[in-house]
Amino acid sequence: MFRFNVIVALSVVTSFNAGGRVDASDSMTCGSGVELCGLLTLESGFGSGNYDHDECVVHGLWPEVSPYGTSECIAPSSSSADPEVVYSCYNQRNETTADCLSFEQHEWTSHGICAGVTDAADFFTQVCDLATAPLAVMQASRDAGGDLSAMSTALTAAGYEVFSTDTYNSQLELSACATSTSVTDCVRCAGSGYCTDVPL
């Protein structure tokens, strides 16, 4: 089983295309000995449509497999069955349980099945655990009148690696990586998104 860790390092901002997804030219390189790397994507709530919320929320944890990066796609070790419950960080205000569960199932089939986890419960537990602290930083910035840029600055000041800023959907993507042995094997992600075991 793999455990993800959000990277604490220097801030990096790359550009997005009109669809909100980072271009392949801005792909993430996991680095030597790091099987899984990806993005913890957090919504500011300032976007439109599905991205419009009255609070900051988690979007998902996305292993950066080809063409977005060099992360391996490692299947669940126990079960690939869809989630059947809404996990705490996906239980959003003003959304029905059915809508929240449908979104979780989308995140699982699109990203979770490549995250090297045991099953959906393991994946969403990791997502919620990883998202709690940076979402609190973003929400404090928002409550103080901050916009997406202010949230990015606040995350950087708190020591998080902001790999990408998606202005189209008003969300921030934090570098995350994992190994099967220990999350400390990936100490930081350099400006290119390269995960390395060289300390700062």
Side-chain angles (χ1 to χ4, degrees):
M1 178 179 77
F2 288 78
R3 302 294 307 169
F4 273 89
N5 189 30
V6 175
I7 306 306
V8 178
L10 299 174
S11 174
V12 177
V13 178
T14 58
S15 61
F16 276 75
N17 60 28
R21 192 68 181 121
V22 70
D23 291 322
S25 62
D26 295 326
S27 66
M28 179 179 278
T29 302
C30 292
S32 176
V34 180
E35 297 108 319
L36 291 166
C37 63
L39 302 171
L40 177 65
T41 304
L42 307 173
E43 299 177 20
S44 70
F46 293 134
S48 61
N50 291 331
Y51 298 90
D52 181 14
H53 309 283
D54 60 0
E55 63 184 347
C56 299
V57 298
V58 66
H59 187 144
L61 177 63
W62 306 340
E64 291 297 274
V65 298
S66 183
Y68 303 109
T70 62
S71 183
E72 295 180 31
C73 178
I74 301 174
S77 61
S78 177
S79 171
S80 60
D82 283 348
E84 296 178 354
V85 299
V86 176
Y87 292 87
S88 61
C89 63
Y90 282 93
N91 192 9
Q92 299 172 8
R93 288 186 258 178
N94 304 319
E95 298 289 338
T96 67
T97 299
D99 286 343
C100 292
L101 187 56
S102 176
F103 183 64
E104 276 185 358
Q105 291 168 347
H106 160 78
E107 288 298 303
W108 173 246
T109 58
S110 297
H111 309 289
I113 60 168
C114 279
V117 294
T118 303
D119 54 19
D122 180 29
F123 177 71
F124 288 106
T125 298
Q126 287 192 53
V127 171
C128 292
D129 288 349
L130 289 171
T132 300
L135 279 174
V137 171
M138 290 174 66
Q139 190 63 48
S141 176
R142 180 180 169 136
D143 291 346
D147 60 6
L148 184 65
S149 178
M151 290 177 190
S152 179
T153 298
L155 284 169
T156 300
Y160 292 98
E161 168 72 23
V162 179
F163 182 77
S164 299
T165 299
D166 174 3
T167 56
Y168 185 80
N169 294 312
S170 196
Q171 56 189 6
L172 299 170
E173 297 186 335
L174 307 183
S175 297
C177 61
T179 67
S180 58
T181 54
S182 169
V183 295
T184 58
D185 289 346
C186 185
V187 175
R188 68 182 175 98
C189 287
S192 66
Y194 177 82
C195 292
T196 175
D197 58 3
V198 178
L200 291 173

